[in-house]
Amino acid sequence: MINKKYERVVFAFFMGMFMSFIMSFIITYINVGFVENFISIWIKAFLIAFACAFPIITIVAPIVHKIVHKLVIKI
C-alpha cells in the first residue's frame, strides 16, 4: 500500500487519469467521429491531456478543498 503522506499525489494521479481518459474520448469523438484511426488519435489526446491534468490537479485540488470547506455548512 501507499503511505498516507502521498494521498494528495495519488488522488491527483487517478483523478487526472480518469478525467483525461473520459474527456479526451468525448472531445476526440466530437472532433473527428469514429474514424478508422480513432483509437490512436484518442490515445495521443489522452496522453497530452493527462500530462496537463496531473500537475494542474496537484496544484488546484488543495485550493478547491479550502474553498469547499468554507462554503459547506458544518452541522
Side-chain angles (χ1 to χ4, degrees):
M1 293 306 254
I2 299 170
N3 192 307
K4 176 90 170 137
K5 70 180 179 180
Y6 300 113
E7 183 176 5
R8 285 188 176 178
V9 175
V10 174
F11 172 83
F13 178 84
F14 283 106
M15 180 61 77
M17 186 185 330
F18 285 113
M19 290 299 298
S20 300
F21 191 78
I22 295 165
M23 293 302 298
S24 63
F25 178 89
I26 293 167
I27 298 302
T28 302
Y29 173 73
I30 289 169
N31 286 329
V32 299
F34 284 123
V35 294
E36 184 177 325
N37 59 341
F38 176 82
I39 298 296
S40 64
I41 296 168
W42 170 37
I43 295 302
K44 181 179 177 184
F46 163 67
L47 293 173
I48 293 167
F50 179 69
C52 296
F54 178 60
I56 291 169
I57 293 170
T58 303
I59 294 165
V60 174
I63 298 166
V64 172
H65 180 73
K66 288 177 185 177
I67 293 168
V68 170
H69 187 70
K70 289 181 181 183
L71 293 174
V72 173
I73 298 171
K74 298 171 184 113
I75 300 176

